[in-house]
Amino acid sequence: EVQLVESGGGLVQPGRSMKLSCAASGFTFSNYGMAWVRQAPTKGLEWVATISYDGSSTYYRDSVKGRFTISRDNAKSTLYLQMNSLRSEDTATYYCTRGTAHYWGQGVMVTVSS
Amino acid sequence: DIQVTQSPSSLLASLGERVTITCQTSQSISNNLNWYQQKPGQAPMLLIYYATSLQTGMPSRFSGQYSGRSFTLTITSLEPEDIANYFCLQHYSAPHTFGSGTKLEIK
């Protein structure tokens, strides 16, 4: 069974950093591209960042370029999202997804507020 | 960016009724569109991938069709457990973009 379990969320002040993790199991992690998707409270969904199966290629939405870094450790079957210079508009539930979002984690809440 | 226009934003339907939700893309994406169901407090769940393929384990009353840039999700006979938000995702080109969602409620 495919499982994606996010961790690392919480309350953070504007301008500070936070790192999310996503532990994957139930499939060969190194065979799949992965992505982070977010959903602000009562809002729609946004594709945040994507990383290729081997980590050689990444993509970011414009609003997070230069602030967020997606990475992966295939030996640990874990996906990461390093978020720097956080803004209030980054407040959302962040989901880890596999491939073209066939599977989703349960999500982790990130609240950026002073 | 490819824009995805989803309609309606909300829908009141009766149990047993046929329900249709539509996504229109701003440019051709072939069949690179997925449909999802999201219940309150839960993660989205894949219903349909590549526009017409039913995800394993999903009820056969859900189906997807497309013609050109117009994509439809149909529930042939609404069940109580189908009350949820539904949205589409185009994954033809980056940034992948979502429809704004349809809130489905019982009349």
Side-chain angles (χ1 to χ4, degrees):
Chain A
E1 178 193 4
V2 172
Q3 285 202 322
L4 300 169
V5 180
E6 302 96 338
S7 60
L11 175 65
V12 62
Q13 292 180 327
R16 302 297 291 265
S17 299
M18 178 175 279
K19 187 171 186 176
L20 304 182
S21 299
C22 170
S25 61
F27 65 101
T28 303
F29 182 72
S30 58
N31 286 353
Y32 291 88
M34 299 291 294
W36 290 96
V37 174
R38 69 184 180 186
Q39 185 172 34
T42 70
K43 300 281 188 175
L45 290 143
E46 288 187 334
W47 197 275
V48 176
T50 300
I51 188 166
S52 60
Y53 71 98
D54 61 355
S56 63
S57 176
T58 57
Y59 168 84
Y60 301 92
R61 69 178 299 107
D62 285 347
S63 60
V64 308
K65 274 181 191 173
R67 300 188 300 123
F68 288 14
T69 302
I70 188 171
S71 62
R72 64 191 298 158
D73 184 335
N74 284 347
K76 294 182 177 179
S77 296
T78 302
L79 177 72
Y80 303 101
L81 185 67
Q82 176 68 47
M83 305 183 292
N84 299 332
S85 303
L86 282 161
R87 307 168 180 168
S88 58
E89 54 264 37
D90 296 318
T91 294
T93 296
Y94 285 74
Y95 295 99
C96 164
T97 70
R98 190 188 89 172
T100 49
H102 276 223
Y103 294 95
W104 299 57
Q106 84 286 354
V108 62
M109 185 68 199
V110 172
T111 303
V112 184
S113 174
S114 54
Chain B
D1 297 4
I2 296 176
Q3 309 303 314
V4 180
T5 303
Q6 185 172 343
S7 61
S9 58
S10 63
L11 184 53
L12 275 174
S14 302
L15 295 176
E17 188 175 335
R18 182 185 183 92
V19 170
T20 299
I21 299 169
T22 299
C23 281
Q24 180 97 11
T25 57
S26 60
Q27 61 189 75
S28 178
I29 62 167
S30 186
N31 65 342
N32 293 281
L33 185 129
N34 297 346
W35 288 99
Y36 300 86
Q37 177 191 69
Q38 185 179 28
K39 296 183 179 180
Q42 296 184 17
M45 187 173 298
L46 180 68
L47 284 171
I48 302 287
Y49 60 97
Y50 287 116
T52 61
S53 296
L54 184 67
Q55 171 70 343
T56 303
M58 293 300 146
S60 59
R61 62 181 178 273
F62 292 95
S63 65
Q65 293 183 307
Y66 75 107
S67 176
R69 295 182 290 111
S70 183
F71 299 80
T72 57
L73 171 70
T74 298
I75 309 172
T76 52
S77 179
L78 189 64
E79 298 282 340
E81 60 266 31
D82 299 336
I83 301 311
N85 285 308
Y86 293 84
F87 56 91
C88 59
L89 165 70
Q90 72 80 16
H91 54 88
Y92 176 75
S93 70
H96 297 170
T97 42
F98 293 90
S100 55
T102 296
K103 185 175 183 179
L104 178 57
E105 296 175 301
I106 297 291
K107 190 183 294 182

